[in-house]
Amino acid sequence: EKPRNPTPECDDMDATGAFIPELNNLDETPGQIKYLTIVGLNKNTNTCPNNEKWDDVICSSSVKLEGAENWEYTTSNYDGILHTVMVSPSKASQVYDKIVQFIKN
């Protein structure tokens, strides 16, 4: 496996980036807003810490946010990069259903 090409957006979402650590430094998830994180767990990779799972773009530990509902989507039946597949309701209906359920609640 080769690592993804670096991009500023993805680097911010990394556990050592700017965005997630800043959110995790807060005493609690701010305000009355509910937060949902979704990580696709495809396969283990040596490009992630401790050979953890990733969604072909982001390591699973980079997604979790304290104070949020952290949801894991696992599948071995997909075509393409799981990170990209997850935004397509026809390819990852469980992800779509989870988001709709989260918004309704």
Side-chain angles (χ1 to χ4, degrees):
E1 302 167 359
K2 67 178 191 173
R4 65 169 171 77
N5 292 328
T7 63
E9 300 81 12
C10 289
D11 290 344
D12 275 352
M13 298 299 283
D14 187 89
T16 60
F19 182 67
I20 297 296
E22 180 66 26
L23 288 176
N24 283 334
N25 283 334
L26 300 172
D27 290 334
E28 60 183 27
T29 310
Q32 298 296 316
I33 299 169
K34 295 185 332 180
Y35 295 84
L36 171 67
T37 67
I38 299 173
V39 60
L41 300 180
N42 172 21
K43 58 189 169 223
N44 294 71
T45 178
N46 60 8
T47 61
C48 292
N50 302 316
N51 195 40
E52 69 190 49
K53 290 187 182 285
W54 73 333
D55 63 8
D56 302 305
V57 176
I58 302 293
C59 300
S60 60
S61 63
S62 297
V63 178
K64 293 183 174 77
L65 177 62
E66 292 176 28
E69 180 180 341
N70 297 290
W71 187 69
E72 297 175 339
Y73 173 65
T74 305
T75 185
S76 59
N77 184 19
Y78 67 95
D79 181 30
I81 296 174
L82 182 56
H83 189 90
T84 305
V85 168
M86 290 191 314
V87 300
S88 174
S90 65
K91 294 180 180 177
S93 61
Q94 291 171 312
V95 174
Y96 176 80
D97 293 343
K98 179 64 179 178
I99 293 169
V100 170
Q101 173 194 354
F102 182 81
I103 292 170
K104 286 183 175 182
N105 292 334

